[in-house]
């Protein structure tokens, strides 16, 4: 459940049930059994509304993760969940399924409809949502959508997309994509230029062969004017404070420990929580950064 680790750890902070000095367990997911939790997402305008992508469909919570119920989408493996980010529209909840496309719900998970029109591949592994548009990472490149209703191929065909992140920009949404099974070369991290519509490979400052586990983008503030970006890979964790132009390795992480997930606080661009699952073994750990991922 590496993909859900950092998001799960934020449940208490977002719901106000725990403070910085301690943690409280989230509620159990009835009927999940030994199934995996792959990802957790919170509604941007309502942090008490959460959704979890699991081996048994989507679970939803209306109290910040204290209690969970099975949604109307169950019985299928769901890799990813995401909420829409348009303040003037009804909230939509998206689910990316293993080899079965995208489903969308506009009633907090009670009912779902197929939203796979135009997808280049039906194995949907990740979402990135901005006010100006969405991206879906698939086992064969990226799909893009202006409003989440219909999709079209957005490039990186042949690559299996393991991570996505996005933010609004002056020329349109800026997306970062991470790859774990590349067929187009040795690059594992890309940034999409919204003006040209091209994916630009990023390798400066990264080690060769850095399979990407997660990408997280922090919010901006009065003092942080460019969205910080944090990338966790199989060879280290890297941070950019200038939109992906330059990267530096994060410090403070124990030797031979590699973070598998990281999430910026939506309220503080300097606060990051990260987790290492040690390849699914009993090892790993929880880490925190108070300088936007420069050190943990």
């Amino acid at each position: 459940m590496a993909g859900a680790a950092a998001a799960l750890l934020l449940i208490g902070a977002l719901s106000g049930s725990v403070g910085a000095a301690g943690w409280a367990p989230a509620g159990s997911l009835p009927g999940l059994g030994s199934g995996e939790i792959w990802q957790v997402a919170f509604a941007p305008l309502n942090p008490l509304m959460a959704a979890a992508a699991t081996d048994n469909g989507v679970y939803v919570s209306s109290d910040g993760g204290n209690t969970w119920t099975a949604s109307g989408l169950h019985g299928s493996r769901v890799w990813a969940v995401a909420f829409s980010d348009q303040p003037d529209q009804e909230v939509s909840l998206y689910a990316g399924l293993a080899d079965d496309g995208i489903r969308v719900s506009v009633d907090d998970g009670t009912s779902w409809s197929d939203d796979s029109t135009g997808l280049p591949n039906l194995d949907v592994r990740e979402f990135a949502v901005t006010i100006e548009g969405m991206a879906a990472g698939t086992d064969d490149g990226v799909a893009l959508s202006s409003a989440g209703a219909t999709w079209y191929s957005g490039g990186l065909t042949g690559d299996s997309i393991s991570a996505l992140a996005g933010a609004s920009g002056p020329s349109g949404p800026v997306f970062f994509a991470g790859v774990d099974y590349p067929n187009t070369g040795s690059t594992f991290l890309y940034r999409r230029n919204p003006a040209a519509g091209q994916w630009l490979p990023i390798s400066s400052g990264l080690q060769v062969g850095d399979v990407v586990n997660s990408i997280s983008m922090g919010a901006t503030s009065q003092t942080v004017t460019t969205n910080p970006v944090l990338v966790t890979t199989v060879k280290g964790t890297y941070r950019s404070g200038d939109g992906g132009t330059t990267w530096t390795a994060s410090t403070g992480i124990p030797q031979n420990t590699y973070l598998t997930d990281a999430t910026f606080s939506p309220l503080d661009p300097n606060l990051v929580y990260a987790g290492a699952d040690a390849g699914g073994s009993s090892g790993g750990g929880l880490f925190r950064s108070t300088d936007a991922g420069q050190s943990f």
Side-chain angles (χ1 to χ4, degrees):
M1 53 183 294
L8 279 171
L9 291 169
L10 287 177
I11 289 176
L14 288 172
S15 65
S17 61
V18 295
W23 299 92
S28 62
L29 279 62
L32 182 60
S34 60
E36 299 283 351
I37 301 171
W38 297 106
Q39 194 176 71
V40 173
F42 289 87
L45 301 180
N46 179 12
L48 293 179
M49 183 65 194
T54 80
D55 282 341
N56 189 33
V58 175
Y59 287 77
V60 293
S61 173
S62 60
D63 56 11
N66 290 316
T67 59
W68 295 85
T69 58
S71 77
L73 177 59
H74 54 82
S76 300
R77 173 173 287 178
V78 177
W79 293 126
V81 283
F83 289 91
S84 60
D85 198 21
Q86 285 79 22
D88 297 328
Q89 299 180 12
E90 61 183 359
V91 175
S92 298
L93 172 58
Y94 296 88
L97 278 66
D99 298 314
D100 201 17
I102 294 174
R103 303 292 186 272
V104 63
S105 173
V106 295
D107 54 12
D108 297 334
T110 300
S111 60
W112 298 80
S113 58
D114 195 307
D115 191 35
S116 306
T117 302
L119 283 179
N121 182 275
L122 294 180
D123 195 18
V124 180
R125 307 179 59 194
E126 185 62 279
F127 290 109
V129 181
T130 76
I131 294 176
E132 300 161 310
M134 295 180 61
T138 79
D139 199 39
D140 188 15
V142 176
L144 299 176
S145 176
S146 60
T150 57
W151 301 84
Y152 62 93
S153 178
L156 299 183
T157 301
D159 285 339
S160 183
I161 307 302
S162 54
L164 280 174
S168 298
S171 301
V174 177
F175 293 114
F176 288 83
V179 176
D180 56 5
Y181 296 107
N183 293 318
T184 58
S186 59
T187 302
F188 289 83
L189 182 63
Y190 293 85
R191 178 185 184 274
R192 187 176 186 273
N193 182 329
Q198 297 177 331
W199 291 95
L200 306 177
I202 297 173
S203 58
S204 178
L206 307 179
Q207 294 189 47
V208 176
D210 271 8
V211 172
V212 175
N213 294 317
S214 73
I215 307 172
S216 182
M217 296 185 71
T220 57
S221 66
Q222 290 183 341
T223 57
V224 180
T225 56
T226 301
N227 298 89
V229 186
L230 195 69
V231 175
T232 67
T233 79
V234 298
K235 294 185 177 179
T237 298
Y238 305 90
R239 177 193 179 275
S240 176
D242 57 9
T245 301
T246 59
W247 299 81
T248 56
S250 301
T251 62
I253 303 167
Q255 188 175 5
N256 298 323
T257 296
Y258 301 101
L259 303 182
T260 45
D261 206 353
T263 299
F264 281 89
S265 165
L267 306 178
D268 182 356
N270 291 308
L271 181 60
V272 182
Y273 286 98
D277 67 2
S281 72
S282 59
L286 168 66
F287 301 85
R288 185 179 73 161
S289 172
T290 57
D291 55 13
Q294 297 180 69
S295 62
F296 284 86

